Amino acid sequence: MDTTKRVVPAPGYLLERIDQEVVVYHPTRTTSLYLNETGALIWEMCDGARTTADIIGILTELYPESRQEIGAQVEAMIMRLEENKIVELQA
Amino acid sequence: MAEYLVEFAETCVAVRYQPGRVSDFLELLFADLRARAALPVVEVLDISDPDPEGRYTIANAGGAPVFHGPLGIECAAVLYDQVISHLLWEKNHGVALHAAAVARQGGAILLPGKSGSGKSSVAAWLTAGGFSYLTDELIFLPDDGSGRAIPFPRPLCLKAGTAELITAMLPEPAQDQVLRDELGAVVPHRLLNPAFTPASPAPYLLLFPTYRHGASFHAEPISGARAAAMLMACDVNARNLPDHGFRQLTALARSIPAWHMTYGGFAGLDAVLPLLGQD
């Protein structure tokens, strides 16, 4: 995965927060996606300006004890968001 | 030709037929859905006279045949599919949810799930255990702010394996009232619990069943967001709604508790009762 690309929210999906979690629905694809608290946190950082590497950096500062896992978790989540057309990766 | 009017949530489908065996068949399938007042008919289905081999043809309003065969479980399944499809075709003032449901003390427990999830079996088991039967297939949640869940109160439609377990609970005289063949059974719900009053109670619990052969009973609470995503997968009339029912279903998931249960049979299913508020 190219972690230097910006993670840009894609248009056309519906989203609701319930407690600390998120549910996303894509009417065109008729798919829904559940994001737990960690997933919701990563999604919130996908603001169109940050890259995947930026997001990994922020979370590593916030949770240094989880440094080993954060990179893989963030990449996996962003790939999942991209597959579901919730975000786009742009150079 | 006689006409049998099937009503659900203020929409009506007519089934035309020649009185005879078909009358009893339709009464078995739709007795609790028979229209009592004149309503606009959205579709007409025709059931032919039987051919010499006792096979009937079901055709839609355009004359296209959708089924040809005996009045058995497959015929019932096709007729339900056709009727429900037409009843929901233009329904756009609420969400139709693929869910079984039972009621207790005036509130509904919804059991959302796709075909094969085991929701009919759980609904049958709970009904036999004293819960009030609502449906094993479909719930309509009108967007009128009432919070009601309008059930499609058909008989229980059970696949072959479960049908044997459920019909084994019935006393011998009741066996004659069950339609069955090698595909499964249609069991009038009053045979499991005679106390039935048509009702549209507000839901108080979501219980997502998953049947897995041989699995032990297991249940766990699930979050509102997860429940909302699972509800969207059971939304039957999404294409009729501007947001596909997303806001309405997330509001429902936010407002009541949700559980997911895995089970492999009726043994051990007693453990679900405390979740439903019953010891």
Side-chain angles (χ1 to χ4, degrees):
Chain A
M1 181 182 189
D2 184 348
T3 60
T4 66
K5 288 184 174 176
R6 291 179 298 116
V7 190
V8 182
Y13 62 83
L14 305 169
L15 182 143
E16 284 277 339
R17 292 169 194 274
I18 302 181
D19 299 325
Q20 304 301 312
E21 301 181 329
V22 162
V23 57
V24 184
Y25 180 71
H26 210 294
T28 310
R29 295 165 56 86
T30 64
T31 54
S32 52
L33 186 65
Y34 154 73
L35 304 181
N36 63 14
E37 203 170 334
T38 305
L41 182 62
I42 294 169
W43 170 79
E44 282 173 0
M45 285 191 254
C46 301
D47 60 359
R50 295 188 178 107
T51 64
T52 302
D54 292 335
I55 294 170
I56 292 170
I58 293 168
L59 288 174
T60 302
E61 275 190 30
L62 285 172
Y63 306 103
E65 69 281 6
S66 303
R67 163 184 308 273
Q68 299 297 322
E69 304 91 51
I70 283 176
Q73 282 183 355
V74 170
E75 286 189 27
M77 176 54 63
I78 289 176
M79 284 167 64
R80 191 168 161 228
L81 293 173
E82 188 189 22
E83 283 168 11
N84 284 277
K85 310 293 183 196
I86 307 301
V87 300
E88 294 168 354
L89 297 179
Q90 296 180 5
Chain B
M1 292 278 268
E3 196 170 65
Y4 198 105
L5 298 176
V6 181
E7 179 201 350
F8 176 60
E10 299 170 8
T11 305
C12 194
V13 166
V15 182
R16 293 191 302 208
Y17 63 101
Q18 291 292 351
R21 278 196 65 208
V22 177
S23 307
D24 295 339
F25 187 68
L26 291 174
E27 192 64 10
L28 170 67
L29 300 189
F30 297 112
D32 291 316
L33 292 146
R34 189 163 197 173
R36 305 294 174 200
L39 285 169
V41 172
V42 296
E43 177 72 3
V44 178
L45 299 169
D46 285 312
I47 303 181
S48 72
D49 289 339
D51 66 14
E53 282 78 43
R55 292 175 300 192
Y56 296 75
T57 298
I58 302 174
N60 61 26
V66 293
F67 174 80
H68 182 63
L71 297 180
I73 299 301
E74 186 183 358
C75 180
V78 171
L79 203 48
Y80 279 131
D81 280 351
Q82 287 291 315
V83 167
I84 289 172
S85 163
H86 291 297
L87 287 170
L88 299 180
W89 192 253
E90 293 184 355
K91 196 150 282 294
N92 61 3
H93 59 283
V95 176
L97 203 59
H98 201 185
V102 295
R104 176 187 170 274
Q105 295 181 352
I109 299 157
L110 303 190
L111 303 156
K114 295 181 178 177
S115 295
S117 63
K119 60 186 184 303
S120 293
S121 305
V122 178
W125 186 84
L126 291 170
T127 302
F131 285 76
S132 301
Y133 180 73
L134 295 174
T135 181
D136 78 337
E137 175 68 5
L138 184 69
I139 280 285
F140 184 66
L141 305 166
D143 62 0
D144 57 5
S146 67
R148 294 176 299 153
I150 301 173
F152 186 84
R154 69 176 191 179
L156 289 141
C157 296
L158 304 168
K159 294 189 173 68
T162 307
E164 288 166 20
L165 293 174
I166 294 294
T167 54
M169 298 178 185
L170 304 176
E172 190 58 38
Q175 300 288 341
D176 290 346
Q177 298 173 51
V178 175
L179 172 72
R180 78 181 96 198
D181 62 26
E182 70 282 1
L183 296 177
V186 172
V187 181
H189 55 83
R190 287 178 182 80
L191 298 181
L192 297 172
N193 184 351
F196 175 75
T197 306
S200 301
Y204 73 88
L205 186 79
L206 296 167
L207 179 62
F208 295 88
T210 297
Y211 172 79
R212 192 174 303 133
H213 182 70
S216 301
F217 176 82
H218 173 72
E220 59 184 353
I222 55 175
S223 68
R226 184 184 287 274
M230 293 168 77
L231 284 174
M232 286 306 294
C234 301
D235 183 350
V236 183
N237 65 333
R239 66 174 181 83
N240 295 347
L241 307 169
D243 69 347
H244 289 198
F246 182 69
R247 302 292 178 214
Q248 199 181 343
L249 289 180
T250 51
L252 175 65
R254 197 191 296 273
S255 66
I256 58 177
W259 288 74
H260 174 254
M261 62 174 260
T262 305
Y263 74 105
F266 295 146
L269 206 48
D270 284 351
V272 78
L273 295 175
L275 309 181
L276 313 182
Q278 182 159 308
D279 296 330

